[in-house]
């Protein structure tokens, strides 16, 4: 059955069937068709299929390897609870509809009673939000407060009357008392389960279980009450609640299977769940007041009133303490400004909020200039005094609804909302700079500080708080570079400048690496050449392909030092391979040249120096240029390319076919190789046009006596088609992906040491 229901569709159909059954039963109850007996039959019969479905769905969760281990264990226990219910419903059906016996307590009652402890344990075992020990203690206290409130209610409604009920045996008395006590356990477990996971974030299964148990408890209490005051018969109104509760159990088990993992929780305590213990206390007092209304005012009235007022005052006191706690958690201890937690929270709230014209939100990042020397020279106390003075200055400038905070060290931030224009931000920044310039008196010293400010005006509603802070940081650095003591607005231009600076730093810091993609003779698969392809081993973003940075490098000119670095690194490694494996002498090395590099007057000199320094032979080097370089050949560039050729270096046109290479140019340029662009190779099997381009390039190569290399070969069919056309060489994932240095080295060794 489990395998059968494992398919989502069967489960969904079962849930739907239960829903239909529930609707039919409830309609029948209100319609009363066929008299009381038929209604009771319909009701009693509705339980069994529902119980079968929830037990099977729960077992499916309990056995599912997809669930987290803790969730699975909790659901194993919950399944046992569900099976107790199933047994109870089956035996109730037999007892009331087949045997027509009315004994109390019956087997069904015993099974119902067993449900509570298992459900209690299962609910407590559900994985909760991570909490510290103190949080857990608080949680237990809150649950106990709710439990005590529940106890008072149950005592008033059931336990008290049960103890005093005349004419029932001691066994019946204790059994009738056990049922509400079981319910009390469930109340405890439910209140713990929902307080551990704050609403509305409590996951759907927990919410469904909670709702189901709430209905069950109300029905149970009513059942016991009816049992106590005359005797319960099947098909009465508590059945409506029980059945609805059963359906919620079906939904809970189904939802749990779909939900693999509880979503990550945010810590937050400003929601209704926090009020649960208070609500329980108030309810208990209301009951007490109601029940004691006939007692004499002296002494009970005044004492009960006093106790209620005392409790309310203690609650109010606790609310204050809570608020203090919260304030402490979001305040910077030294300056009293908001701390990073609150700032991050506020920025998070911003994300997704619409940007309204005429109401600008502005984020400023403020950094004190020359703070470190003060700290180093006059000590931390002087540093603290400066930070406190800076905080006071900020508080004096900003308005009530704005937020000033300290991110750490001497870095502050200000969040302004509802500014009428972009320029107002500049006015506020100027005022801040002036206020921060005020000298700070520390003992006998007068300390002078200044600040730089980066200003971001929020214009894109979808930017995350983190990105806004990063942009403010970019603007701040621009302000610092421009001479400190000033502010700068963030703009995209600044961003590309910052990224360019980052890129140049990366080249200098050796964050770049070269990978090598082999090119092979298509007919034999023999290794002929390797192409050097640059990657950026970014400290935060991991290994980045050229797509992530080469355009920017090209735009800003950073590609010139980058390209020179790649050439040097590639020639150095290839020289080592030649030294290691004598057969590698024939291996050709390709390096990409960007148009910016080709435009450099000292290109030839740079290449010569690299070749001389690394000892790599010029006739084994191929430089790949793009079609745009040869589009309108400038005589200076043609001269430079010719000079490279004169050194013996091969020249290839990369991505051939994608630009507008005119044949006439091709003929007059000193090019030796054409690399058919990947886009044509990709379409070679099923796109006639792509196929024709490939054929044309192969012919062109033959006519001009150039080598033709096909790029981006991904399948055997593509390779075969190229061989058919007479294309001799190729490169692509079908043969090799670009390889990191160690793998490229071992490949070269493996291929050539035997040859040599
Ligand atoms: P490219 O020079 O045409 O290099 C070939 C690109 O195609 C490489 O991407 C390679 O990984 C990819 N490739 C090779 N075979 C296949 C295949 O079978 N299927 C697919 N889907 N892709 C394949 P990569 O490394 O991302 O480089 C992209 C481009 O960045 C290069 O195109 C080149 O124009 C540029 N580039 C890379 N390194 C440098 C460099 O050091 N300097 C300059 N200026 N540009 C470089
Ligand atoms: Mg290339
Ligand atoms: Mg290419």
């Amino acid at each position: 059955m489990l395998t059968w229901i494992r398919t989502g569709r069967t489960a969904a159909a079962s849930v739907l069937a239960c829903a239909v059954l529930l609707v039919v039963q409830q309609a029948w109850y209100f319609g009363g068709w066929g008299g009381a007996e038929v209604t009771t039959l319909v009701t009693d019969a509705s339980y069994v299929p529902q119980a079968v479905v929830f037990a099977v769905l729960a077992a499916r969760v309990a056995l599912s390897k997809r669930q987290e281990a803790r969730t699975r264990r909790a659901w194993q226990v919950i399944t046992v609870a569900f099976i107790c219910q199933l047994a109870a419903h089956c035996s109730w059906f037999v007892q009331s509809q087949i045997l027509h016996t009315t004994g109390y307590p019956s087997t069904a009652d015993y099974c119902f009673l067993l449900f509570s402890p298992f459900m209690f344990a299962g609910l407590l075992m559900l994985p909760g939000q991570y909490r510290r020990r103190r949080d857990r203690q608080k949680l237990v206290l809150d649950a106990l407060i709710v439990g005590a409130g529940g106890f008072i209610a149950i005592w008033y409604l059931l336990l008290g009357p049960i103890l005093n009920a005349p004419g029932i045996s001691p066994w019946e008395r204790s059994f009738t008392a056990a049922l509400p006590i079981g319910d009390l356990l469930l109340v405890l477990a439910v209140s713990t389960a929902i307080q551990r996971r704050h609403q509305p974030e409590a996951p759907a299964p927990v919410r469904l279980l909670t709702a189901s148990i709430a209905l069950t408890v109300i029905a149970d209490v009513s059942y016991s009450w009816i049992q106590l005051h005359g005797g319960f018969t099947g098909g009465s109104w508590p059945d409506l609640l029980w059945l609805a509760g059963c359906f919620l159990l079906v939904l809970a088990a189904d939802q749990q299977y779909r939900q693999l993992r509880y979503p990550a929780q945010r810590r937050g305590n400003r929601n209704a769940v926090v009020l649960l213990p208070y609500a329980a206390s108030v309810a208990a007092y209301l009951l007490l007041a109601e029940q004691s209304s006939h007692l004499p005012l002296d002494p009970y009235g005044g004492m009960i009133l006093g106790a209620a007022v005392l409790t309310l005052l203690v609650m109010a006191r606790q609310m204050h303490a809570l608020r203090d706690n919260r304030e402490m958690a979001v305040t910077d201890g030294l300056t009293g400004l908001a701390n990073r937690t609150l700032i991050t929270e506020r920025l998070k709230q911003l994300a997704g909020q619409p940007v309204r014209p005429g109401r600008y939100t502005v984020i400023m990042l403020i950094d004190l200039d020359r703070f470190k020397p003060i700290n180093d020279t006059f000590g931390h106390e002087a540093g603290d005094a400066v930070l406190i003075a800076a905080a006071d200055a900020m508080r004096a400038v900003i308005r009530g609804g704005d937020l000033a905070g300290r991110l750490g060290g001497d870095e502050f931030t200000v969040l302004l909302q509802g500014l009428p224009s972009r320029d107002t931000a500049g006015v506020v920044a100027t005022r801040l700079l002036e206020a921060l310039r005020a000298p700070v008196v520390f003992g006998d010293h007068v300390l002078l500080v200044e600040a730089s400010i980066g200003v971001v005006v929020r214009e894109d509603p979808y930017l995350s708080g983190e990105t806004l802070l990063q942009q403010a940081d970019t603007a701040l650095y621009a302000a610092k570079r421009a001479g400190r003591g000033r502010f700068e607005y963030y703009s995209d231009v600044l961003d590309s400048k910052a990224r360019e600076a980052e890129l140049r730093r990366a080249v200098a810091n050796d964050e770049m690496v070269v990978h090598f993609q082999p090119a092979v003779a298509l007919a034999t698969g023999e290794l002929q050449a390797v192409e050097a392809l640059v990657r950026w081993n970014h400290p935060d973003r991991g290994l980045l392909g050229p797509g992530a940075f080469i355009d920017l490098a090209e735009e800003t000119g950073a590609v010139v030092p980058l390209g020179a670095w790649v050439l040097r690194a590639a020639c150095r490694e290839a020289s080592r391979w030649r030294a290691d494996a004598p057969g590698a002498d024939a291996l050709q090395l390709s390096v990409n040249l960007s148009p910016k590099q080709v435009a450099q007057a000292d290109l030839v000199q740079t290449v010569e120096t690299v070749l001389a320094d690394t000892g790599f032979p010029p006739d084994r080097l191929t430089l790949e240029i793009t079609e745009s370089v040869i589009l309108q050949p400038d005589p200076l560039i043609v001269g430079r390319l010719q000079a490279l050729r004169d050194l013996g270096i091969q020249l290839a046109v990369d991505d051939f076919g994608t630009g507008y290479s005119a044949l006439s140019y091709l003929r007059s340029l000193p090019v030796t190789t054409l690399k058919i662009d990947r886009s044509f190779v990709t379409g070679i099997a099923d796109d006639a046009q792509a196929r024709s381009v490939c054929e044309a390039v192969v012919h062109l190569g033959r006519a001009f006596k150039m080598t033709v290399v096909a790029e981006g070969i991904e399948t055997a069919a593509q390779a075969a088609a190229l061989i058919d056309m007479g294309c001799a060489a190729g490169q692509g994932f079908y043969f090799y992906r670009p390889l990191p240095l160690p793998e490229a080295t071992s490949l070269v060794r493996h291929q050539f040491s035997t040859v040599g």
Side-chain angles (χ1 to χ4, degrees):
M1 176 136 192
L2 268 181
T3 19
W4 167 70
I5 208 156
R6 215 163 253 158
T7 58
R9 245 183 273 154
T10 320
S14 318
V15 174
L16 188 68
C18 287
V20 172
L21 195 63
L22 183 69
V23 172
V24 168
Q25 185 277 330
Q26 310 251 323
W28 211 291
Y29 177 83
F30 289 107
W33 303 295
E37 254 178 44
V38 180
T39 307
T40 310
L41 174 66
V42 171
T43 305
D44 289 347
S46 303
Y47 281 109
V48 179
Q50 298 244 28
V52 170
V53 173
F54 67 56
V56 172
L57 289 180
R60 181 175 68 146
V61 176
L63 299 177
S64 162
K65 293 263 159 31
R66 309 190 313 164
Q67 300 282 338
E68 273 179 276
R70 281 194 308 162
T71 310
R72 210 166 51 224
R73 277 198 295 274
W75 274 85
Q76 283 159 2
V77 178
I78 292 176
T79 306
V80 176
F82 283 13
I83 290 173
C84 292
Q85 272 234 18
L86 172 63
H89 292 306
C90 292
S91 75
W92 177 266
F93 183 80
V94 172
Q95 173 191 331
S96 73
Q97 296 299 328
I98 299 173
L99 304 176
H100 302 288
T101 52
T102 51
Y104 176 81
S106 64
T107 317
D109 289 310
Y110 288 115
C111 294
F112 277 127
L113 190 62
L114 274 178
F115 169 76
S116 307
F118 283 115
M119 195 64 201
F120 172 77
L123 281 171
L124 289 189
M125 284 165 71
L126 281 175
Q129 182 178 354
Y130 170 74
R131 280 173 182 271
R132 295 166 300 159
R133 206 168 127 217
R134 257 189 39 214
D135 286 334
R136 280 201 300 273
Q137 288 169 345
K138 213 182 96 209
L139 183 71
V140 170
L141 282 179
D142 282 349
L144 286 179
I145 294 174
V146 175
F151 174 77
I152 291 178
I154 286 181
W155 179 269
Y156 169 70
L157 290 170
L158 297 174
L159 292 177
I162 288 169
L163 285 183
N164 288 320
I168 53 174
S169 71
W171 175 239
E172 276 175 19
R173 198 186 297 283
S174 27
F175 188 85
T176 314
L179 209 60
I181 289 174
D183 284 339
L184 197 59
L185 279 184
L186 291 182
V187 169
L188 269 179
V190 160
S191 83
T192 312
I194 55 177
Q195 292 196 71
R196 276 202 307 181
R197 328 197 112 261
H198 295 300
Q199 304 265 27
E201 291 159 295
V206 173
R207 270 181 285 163
L208 289 165
L209 284 177
T210 305
S212 161
I213 282 169
L215 289 178
T216 309
V217 167
I218 296 173
D220 282 354
V221 170
S222 320
Y223 167 75
S224 302
W225 172 273
I226 296 170
Q227 208 48 286
L228 210 65
H229 296 85
F232 179 86
T233 46
S236 330
W237 64 267
D239 278 304
L240 293 183
L241 301 182
W242 271 323
L243 266 169
C246 285
F247 180 61
L248 291 178
L249 293 185
V250 169
L251 287 182
D254 186 50
Q255 283 289 316
Q256 181 60 59
Y257 187 74
R258 288 162 201 276
Q259 187 167 349
L260 289 188
R261 222 160 258 289
Y262 288 141
Q265 296 289 310
R266 259 197 298 131
R267 285 179 68 95
N269 40 17
R270 278 184 299 173
N271 55 42
V273 173
V274 178
L275 299 178
L276 204 59
Y278 300 102
S281 314
V282 169
Y285 268 104
L286 287 177
L287 270 181
L288 191 61
E290 200 276 325
Q291 192 54 7
S292 55
S293 55
H294 63 277
L295 290 176
L297 278 180
D298 173 32
Y300 298 110
M303 285 167 70
I304 291 174
L305 182 70
V309 171
L310 260 183
T311 311
L312 283 177
L313 289 177
V314 171
M315 281 185 200
R317 178 78 189 70
Q318 212 209 350
M319 294 270 198
H320 265 287
L322 273 180
R323 198 172 309 152
D324 279 355
N325 272 350
R326 154 112 192 124
E327 250 169 45
M328 241 154 66
V330 297
T331 309
D332 173 49
L334 178 67
T335 59
L337 297 181
N339 66 6
R340 187 180 271 276
T341 313
L342 183 59
I343 296 163
T344 321
E345 209 172 275
R346 284 289 190 86
L347 287 176
K348 247 192 210 152
Q349 286 166 2
L350 268 186
Q353 278 181 22
V355 173
R356 276 179 288 165
R359 291 183 59 78
Y360 292 89
T361 299
V362 169
I363 295 103
M364 296 187 185
L365 198 62
I366 305 168
D367 192 85
L368 301 185
D369 303 328
R370 290 193 298 273
F371 175 75
K372 195 169 177 302
I374 293 181
N375 224 356
D376 293 348
T377 320
F378 301 102
H380 288 296
E381 279 181 29
D384 286 355
V386 168
L387 293 175
I388 291 169
D392 289 341
M394 281 177 223
R395 265 192 287 256
V397 173
I398 63 170
R399 293 175 314 179
D402 300 335
L403 180 77
R406 179 169 163 232
L407 287 172
D410 60 341
E411 207 172 48
F412 295 85
T413 181
V414 166
L415 180 67
L416 308 163
Q417 279 180 296
L419 295 193
S421 70
R422 273 179 70 90
D423 296 343
T424 321
V427 177
V428 178
T430 312
R431 269 194 227 136
L432 278 169
L433 287 174
E434 261 164 40
L436 289 165
R437 233 169 247 143
V440 180
V441 180
F442 177 74
D444 297 339
H445 306 284
V446 176
L447 308 174
L448 288 176
V449 271
E450 263 193 328
S452 303
I453 305 184
V455 181
V456 176
V457 181
R458 181 171 172 266
E459 271 156 354
D460 176 353
Y462 298 106
L463 286 190
S464 68
E466 214 174 301
T467 311
L468 288 172
L469 270 187
Q470 260 166 21
Q471 294 185 341
D473 196 49
T474 304
L476 173 66
Y477 271 90
K480 287 195 176 252
R481 269 203 309 272
R484 298 168 188 263
R486 60 176 67 215
F487 72 88
E488 197 77 54
Y489 280 100
Y490 168 80
S491 71
D492 291 348
V493 178
L494 278 187
D495 212 24
S496 61
K497 269 194 193 150
R499 283 169 56 208
E500 181 201 345
E502 195 192 8
L503 194 60
R504 286 184 190 265
R505 263 199 309 274
V507 177
N509 291 348
D510 264 349
E511 285 172 22
M512 295 294 166
V513 286
V514 183
H515 284 194
F516 297 90
Q517 186 178 33
V520 299
L522 285 177
T524 59
E526 186 189 319
L527 188 59
Q528 286 191 328
V530 290
E531 177 175 3
L533 295 162
V534 69
R535 269 97 184 94
W536 181 357
N537 204 350
H538 194 284
D540 305 322
R541 292 160 63 200
L543 196 68
L544 303 177
F549 57 89
I550 212 87
D551 285 349
L552 178 81
E554 179 68 32
E555 243 169 69
T556 59
V559 77
V560 175
L562 172 67
W565 181 88
V566 173
L567 181 68
R568 180 171 290 272
C571 290
R572 188 183 55 224
E573 298 310 333
S575 286
R576 283 193 191 141
W577 296 336
R578 292 167 62 88
D580 271 9
D585 280 356
L587 191 70
Q588 196 72 21
L589 170 70
S590 286
V591 178
N592 294 283
L593 277 193
S594 95
K596 269 266 162 59
Q597 281 175 282
V598 180
Q600 300 296 306
D602 61 356
L603 171 71
V604 181
Q605 204 185 333
T606 308
V607 175
E608 264 183 312
T609 316
V610 169
L611 291 176
D613 289 353
T614 57
F616 192 75
D619 58 345
R620 288 289 169 260
L621 179 65
T622 304
L623 292 176
E624 297 188 6
I625 54 174
T626 58
E627 274 182 305
S628 61
V629 171
I630 52 171
L631 186 58
Q632 283 168 331
D634 152 349
L636 279 177
I637 289 184
V638 177
R640 240 167 257 151
L641 295 179
Q642 189 57 57
L644 290 172
R645 271 302 289 134
D646 293 346
L647 289 175
I649 293 169
Q650 312 272 325
L651 290 178
V653 183
D654 204 351
D655 308 339
F656 188 76
T658 50
Y660 317 86
S661 320
L663 294 184
S664 53
Y665 291 148
L666 254 196
R667 204 169 49 176
S668 58
L669 279 168
V671 172
T672 54
T673 306
L674 297 178
K675 294 188 81 170
I676 310 179
D677 189 65
R678 193 180 87 214
S679 53
F680 304 113
V681 174
T682 306
I684 202 163
D686 41 36
D687 177 353
Q689 233 172 351
R691 197 184 163 83
S692 317
V693 174
C694 292
E695 269 166 353
V697 179
V698 173
H699 289 308
L700 201 64
R702 217 171 277 147
F704 287 148
K705 300 203 168 41
M706 292 175 185
T707 311
V708 175
V709 181
E711 277 190 297
I713 304 172
E714 289 184 343
T715 64
Q718 290 166 355
L722 286 159
I723 294 174
D724 280 352
M725 284 173 198
C727 178
Q731 182 179 348
F733 293 174
Y734 175 63
F735 302 104
Y736 296 100
R737 286 181 174 264
L739 307 172
L741 176 64
E743 287 170 36
T745 305
S746 59
L747 175 74
V748 171
R749 277 209 194 118
H750 181 254
Q751 296 263 324
F752 293 110
S753 51
T754 43
V755 179

